[in-house]
Amino acid sequence: MRADAISLAARIPPVFSHAAAAALHGLPLLGLVDDRVHTIERAKNPQKTRTDVVRHKVPLPDADVVRVGPHLATSLDRTAYDAARMLPLDGAVALVDAALRAVAWDDDEHAYSSAHAEEIRAALQRRIRAGTGARGIKKLRFAVEFGDGRAESPRESQSRLRMWELHLPAPELQVVVMTDRGEKRLDFAWPALRMFGEFDGVVKRTDPAMMNGRTAPEVLADQAERRAAIERATGWRGLHWGAAESKNAATFLASLTSQGWPAHARVVRA
C-alpha cells in the first residue's frame, strides 16, 4: 500500500529496493526493524530522503530492474543482496531460502530444481565478491552458503539455523513418506536417528485459508493424527515445535530434549 502511494505521487516511477522490493517479490522479512520504504532513484535530481522514504542514489544497471505487478523493483537477486543484509541472521537465512525457492520450486509439479537454485546462488555469490567490506556482507555470505530453497516457510528456515547453531545433525528436508492417510511430506527428517520434526505455526490454526472450515481444536487434532500416521508408517519418533520454541537456540534445544532428542546426537564442526 505504501509503494502504491509513493508511485502515485512520483513524477518518475521509482524503483523499489531493499525491504520494499522484498515485499513486492513475496520474500519474508523476519526480524525487520527498518520498515521505511527504500527506492533507488534514476532521476538526475531525485527528491531527498524523507522520514518514511529512503531514496538511494547508487548505480542501478538495467539488468537489475524488473516489473513486479504495477511497480518497478530491483531484480530478485539484487533484492536478496540488499534486503538480507538489513535483517538479523535468521531473517537473512529465511529470505535467501525464499529467493532460492522462488526460482527452484514448481508448484504444479511439486518438484524442486537444484540447478535453478544454484543459478541464483551463483548470482548472489558474484554480488558478494564485488561487495567485499559492505555492511552485513559476512552475514549474507553465510546465508547464501547455508541457504536451501526446500524450506517452505521462514520459521522452517529459522529452525534449521537453530539446528546448525546447536551442532545437531543436518536434517533431510521435505522427505516424502506414504502413510495410511496418504502421502505426507516431512519438514525435517533424521533417518539415522529414526526421528522427524515439524514446525507447527500458529497460522495453521488462525488463517481461514489453511483451516479450511475447521476449528482450531480440529486443526490441532488433525496435526496430531498426521504425526501419528507418519510414526506408524516409518517407526520414527515425531517432534514438533512452534515460533516460541525456535526463537533462540536454548528454548529450541529444551523443546527437542523434552520430546526425546538423544543427548549424544550432536556433531563436531571444525
Side-chain angles (χ1 to χ4, degrees), residues 10-84:
R11 296 189 306 271
I12 298 175
V15 178
F16 292 99
S17 64
H18 297 77
L24 291 172
H25 281 290
L27 302 179
L29 293 163
L30 187 66
L32 179 69
V33 175
D34 180 1
D35 66 349
R36 296 173 297 174
V37 175
H38 290 248
T39 67
I40 298 178
E41 300 295 325
R42 296 192 290 181
K44 291 183 179 180
N45 297 302
Q47 297 181 53
K48 294 181 179 180
T49 290
R50 299 203 314 262
T51 302
D52 61 339
V53 182
V54 180
R55 294 183 169 90
H56 300 270
K57 187 64 176 177
V58 295
L60 185 65
D62 289 344
D64 283 1
V65 180
V66 298
R67 183 167 291 281
V68 183
H71 301 295
L72 296 177
T74 48
S75 61
L76 184 67
D77 61 297
R78 173 69 182 265
T79 297
Y81 173 81
D82 288 334

Side-chain angles (χ1 to χ4, degrees), residues 66-172:
V66 298
R67 183 167 291 281
V68 183
H71 301 295
L72 296 177
T74 48
S75 61
L76 184 67
D77 61 297
R78 173 69 182 265
T79 297
Y81 173 81
D82 288 334
R85 292 184 293 119
M86 300 174 63
L87 302 173
L89 183 58
D90 52 359
V93 168
L95 190 146
V96 169
D97 280 359
L100 296 174
R101 187 175 182 83
V103 299
W105 177 254
D106 186 320
D107 264 332
D108 294 332
E109 299 294 330
H110 294 281
Y112 183 78
S113 170
S114 296
H116 289 160
E118 291 311 308
E119 289 175 5
I120 193 166
R121 196 192 310 273
L124 283 166
Q125 289 171 334
R126 288 192 293 271
R127 292 188 185 277
I128 289 169
R129 288 193 294 271
T132 300
R135 185 176 181 178
I137 204 74
K138 291 183 179 179
K139 171 175 55 185
L140 178 62
R141 183 179 293 113
F142 172 86
V144 170
E145 292 174 355
F146 187 72
D148 193 318
R150 290 174 296 172
E152 292 186 323
S153 73
R155 295 295 182 179
E156 286 184 27
S157 301
Q158 183 184 63
S159 299
R160 199 173 82 259
L161 178 63
R162 298 291 173 251
M163 296 169 196
W164 182 88
E165 291 172 338
L166 291 165
H167 292 237
L168 304 187
E172 295 183 21

Side-chain angles (χ1 to χ4, degrees), residues 180-202:
D180 52 23
R181 294 191 61 180
E183 186 177 277
K184 305 297 179 185
R185 189 181 297 270
L186 312 182
D187 294 343
F188 308 95
W190 297 271
L193 297 175
R194 299 182 62 77
M195 304 185 88
F196 68 94
E198 303 219 293
F199 178 85
D200 289 339
V202 174

